[in-house]
Amino acid sequence: MKLSELKPGQSGIIIKVRGRGAFRRRIIEMGFVKGKKAEMLTKAPLKDPTVYKIMDYEVSLRKSEAELIEIVTGEEIQPSNEPEKRLLVLNEEKLLSLANEKSKVINVALVGNPNSGKTSLFNIASGTHERVGNYSGVTVDAKEGKFKYKGYTFNLIDLPGTYSLSAYSPEELYVRKQIFEGTPDIIINVVSASNLERNLYLTTQLIDMDVISVIALNMYDEMEKSGAKLNYQSLAEMIGYPIVPTVAKSGKGIPELFDQVIEVYERRSPVARHVHINYGEEIETGIQHVKKLLKDETQLGIETSRRYLSILLLEGDKLGEQMVSGLQGAKQILKERDIHAQYIRDDFREDVETAFTDARYGFIDGALQQTFKAGRTDSQKITHRIDKFVTNKILGFPLFFLFMFVMFEGTFFLGEYPMQWIEQLVAAFGSFIDGLMSEGPLKSLLIDGIIGGVGSVIVFLPNIVILYLFISFMEDTGYMARAAFIMDKFMQKMGLHGKSFIPLVMGFGCNVPAIMGARIIESRNTRLITILVNSLMSCSARLPVYLLLVGAFFPRYGGLALFGLYITGIILAIIMSRIFKKFLVKGEDLPFVMELPPYRMPTLKAMNRHGWDKTSQYLRKMGGVILAASIIVWFLEYFPQDAGKENSYIGKIGHFIEPVVKPLGFDWKIGTSLVSGMAAKEIIVSTLGVIYTGDGDNDMLLKEQLHAEQTPDGNPVFTPLVAISFLLFVLIYFPCIATIVAIKNELGSWKWALFVVVYTTALAWLVSFTVYQVGTMLGL
């Protein structure tokens, strides 16, 4: 409950003061500290401010200030709707106990550069399994976790990795908004010990914001191995933020980190204090002049740091300007800002933002000169040696395509044996149920619907796990960033740039996080095009369809066929990107800037965790949408009972759409599976499993049934040409429902989501029609 919610005569025990900087210090100095009783006395005639009694004296607070003070009241111990009971004397002991319990909930936000190990720290601290990748932009939204430690409950939020808190990219804007509006109690600033100067730039901006922070000096083992020395205690005293060395991947230093968080939260840390970065006489003069005018603006509220807002205004920050635009003295403030911004430009002979950046790096350089001694750079040397090959203009592309080919070849052939074992288990289980039950709808539902539908999809689990392990390896080692680097020139010809390559390759796993991953792209035009073509990347949901058809009709060339399908998707994405860039989305792009992190070998534990995460996700899908779809398809195929498959409900649906798909070489059964696959692509396989299993020969594997299926005139329904046409259609058409929703959420409009649905389905029909008709004319 908030202090502002108290009614006249009500009282409560303070459990927490939110906010930051001068506001928080002033409130605490006035007596609003944890464990103290505050009573609401009266409101001003216009309902604001309100007078409260605390420590036997009266003080007035505005509603905006009282909303940042959390309390606990007697009603939370013994709720009552009877007015006469609300004012009874409370059990002070119980109330203080409840207040003490609630005050031990600490909201912590993780903020840091990409590749600083922020999400690894989040995973090991909270016990959750969020995705960790060795390149910028993996964490594309805030992830939340909760854990208990030493009697405290930590609500942990992992914010997107960002290099600064300017208004340059979506991540920067998002992180800034979360810090301002989410008002975490403590910020853990995760700093990579292997790149202090660059990482501490974000720290200087947190200092300007006057937030309460503890620094996790992560990857400390790498710094020690290099022989570098850092007197982090002295550095902590200089910047006013406690520093704790950590190794997130092993958990070293994590308990000590949260010990320090508790110390700072309870205001027991001798190090934690607010410092001002001295920007030099000219800049400081400008800050003071703007700050003086902002001090008189009561509309801002005391929780807003006037110094930080002055810095934003001088830097020309658009969000800072929006904050003052509605103030009474906005014109005078902006005029004063313009005068001093010009002084700074004249004095430094560069723009104001660059002057601030140089000053911040000067502050960092001065602090590190006194506390840091550089060591060897062996790890970087190893990275550079590897990069001589993988980013080489001659070898780079062949190595990339070789890795991609090995990935798909491995997915097909390494998964073949466990896939066969699961197929045999499913068939044996179906036979067991067949011999156990008498004929009837229930037996048909279990064998034809559930086992035939879900079983036909679950057999591809090993292949999907293998594919994800390959993608995880690319991400965790840092190779994905190199792939983006070597592909930049190629992506430019698509109308995109290198950063687009990462969400596109992520689409091989799942299009939904890949579309969200496009947030790492600063240019809105490029981000839009990347999202529009992302569904052309073959996600793992399509993989069961590919493996079924490729295994049935092209078993000798399985890896090559898979590789060809994925490359076809990439080629189509290139073509559509060029078309969109030329006719739909015009405008200049921002330059390509991306970090190339050092190579790191993923731990076996991390690889196993990623594999299990995807396995469990796939199994949940089996027990959810795939199971439900299989039952629905069985129902439509089984009823009306004894009507025959072609006269069943699903037969009528299939014959209704057959004229549309017949020119592509498909019959009504194939057309029905494509309709069901709009929800999720795996359902295509389960639908085929239900339809063909229902023919009666349950001992035949689905691949064999596809070969055996014939048209009324005795010709095979599935030929290699039909299989190719079908595979291409599945590759291109109608993104799944989850992807459509993701597009709408990212682009803020159903217009673009529906556009993707229409253009991909039309393109799929056109490509499949061309391939089938040309192939037929050639006698294939």
Side-chain angles (χ1 to χ4, degrees), residues 150-225:
K150 290 191 174 179
Y152 289 83
T153 298
F154 290 88
N155 293 322
L156 211 57
I157 181 168
D158 179 24
L159 295 176
T162 180
Y163 295 108
S164 76
L165 295 174
S166 62
Y168 185 61
S169 73
E171 285 125 320
E172 293 166 351
L173 292 171
Y174 185 82
V175 173
R176 247 171 68 172
K177 182 179 179 182
Q178 288 296 316
I179 293 174
F180 269 118
E181 298 178 9
T183 56
D185 299 315
I186 305 282
I187 286 176
I188 293 180
N189 178 203
V190 186
V191 170
S192 171
S194 60
N195 200 332
L196 282 171
E197 187 174 14
R198 207 267 325 280
N199 277 245
L200 286 172
Y201 183 83
L202 179 60
T203 307
T204 62
Q205 292 183 307
L206 294 174
I207 291 171
D208 282 337
M209 291 179 77
D210 199 3
V211 297
I212 304 170
S213 183
V214 174
I215 292 178
L217 188 62
N218 201 32
M219 304 177 193
Y220 192 69
D221 56 334
E222 293 185 10
M223 190 184 78
E224 287 184 315
K225 285 177 185 176

Side-chain angles (χ1 to χ4, degrees), residues 193-301:
S194 60
N195 200 332
L196 282 171
E197 187 174 14
R198 207 267 325 280
N199 277 245
L200 286 172
Y201 183 83
L202 179 60
T203 307
T204 62
Q205 292 183 307
L206 294 174
I207 291 171
D208 282 337
M209 291 179 77
D210 199 3
V211 297
I212 304 170
S213 183
V214 174
I215 292 178
L217 188 62
N218 201 32
M219 304 177 193
Y220 192 69
D221 56 334
E222 293 185 10
M223 190 184 78
E224 287 184 315
K225 285 177 185 176
S226 72
K229 301 290 183 184
L230 175 68
N231 187 340
Y232 58 84
Q233 294 95 340
S234 295
L235 180 60
E237 289 171 4
M238 287 181 190
I239 65 177
Y241 286 164
I243 298 176
V244 181
T246 60
V247 183
K249 65 182 180 182
S250 66
K252 185 178 179 181
I254 304 300
E256 292 81 359
L257 174 66
F258 285 95
D259 286 340
Q260 194 58 242
V261 169
I262 294 170
E263 289 291 302
V264 173
Y265 176 73
E266 297 290 3
R267 301 173 64 230
R268 297 195 296 255
S269 171
V271 175
R273 64 190 175 92
H274 177 57
V275 301
H276 281 175
I277 296 172
N278 191 317
Y279 286 103
E281 184 178 353
E282 188 63 58
I283 295 178
E284 287 293 334
T285 300
I287 292 172
Q288 292 306 316
H289 276 79
V290 178
K291 181 181 173 182
K292 184 178 179 181
L293 294 176
L294 289 171
K295 273 188 174 179
D296 299 330
E297 294 293 339
T298 56
Q299 284 178 267
L300 281 173

Side-chain angles (χ1 to χ4, degrees), residues 83-121:
E84 64 273 13
K85 289 188 179 180
R86 291 182 185 171
L87 301 179
L88 291 177
V89 177
L90 302 172
N91 185 323
E92 293 287 338
E93 188 178 336
K94 278 189 175 181
L95 192 55
L96 285 169
S97 174
L98 181 60
N100 182 57
E101 180 186 332
K102 291 204 169 188
S103 70
K104 290 191 172 184
V105 176
I106 308 178
N107 300 307
V108 179
L110 297 181
V111 176
N113 284 197
N115 300 307
S116 61
K118 181 174 53 61
T119 302
S120 294
L121 192 152

Side-chain angles (χ1 to χ4, degrees), residues 7 31 91 160 164 282 287 323 327 365 389 445 701 745 754:
K7 302 292 189 297
N91 185 323
S164 76
E282 188 63 58
I287 292 172
M323 289 177 69
L327 301 178
D365 187 53
F389 295 96
L445 170 62
L701 296 175
N745 290 339
L754 294 175

Side-chain angles (χ1 to χ4, degrees), residues 428-448:
F429 184 60
S431 299
F432 172 74
I433 297 295
D434 186 32
L436 196 66
M437 298 181 67
S438 58
E439 296 297 328
L442 180 59
K443 178 180 179 180
S444 177
L445 170 62
L446 290 174
I447 297 177
D448 301 337

Side-chain angles (χ1 to χ4, degrees), residues 633 636 650 653-654 656-658 661 668-681 683-684 687 726 729 733-734 737:
V633 171
L636 295 173
I650 203 167
I653 293 171
F656 177 76
I657 63 172
E658 190 173 28
V661 297
W668 67 269
K669 294 181 182 179
I670 300 174
T672 303
S673 71
L674 291 173
V675 172
S676 65
M678 291 178 179
K681 295 298 176 284
I683 297 176
I684 294 173
T687 301
F726 186 55
F729 196 91
Y733 93 114
F734 203 103
I737 300 300

Side-chain angles (χ1 to χ4, degrees), residues 490-512:
F490 183 67
M491 300 297 281
Q492 284 183 39
K493 297 186 182 298
M494 292 173 59
L496 304 174
H497 61 54
K499 271 193 178 181
S500 299
F501 184 73
I502 290 174
L504 290 179
V505 174
M506 284 173 67
F508 290 159
C510 179
N511 293 139
V512 174

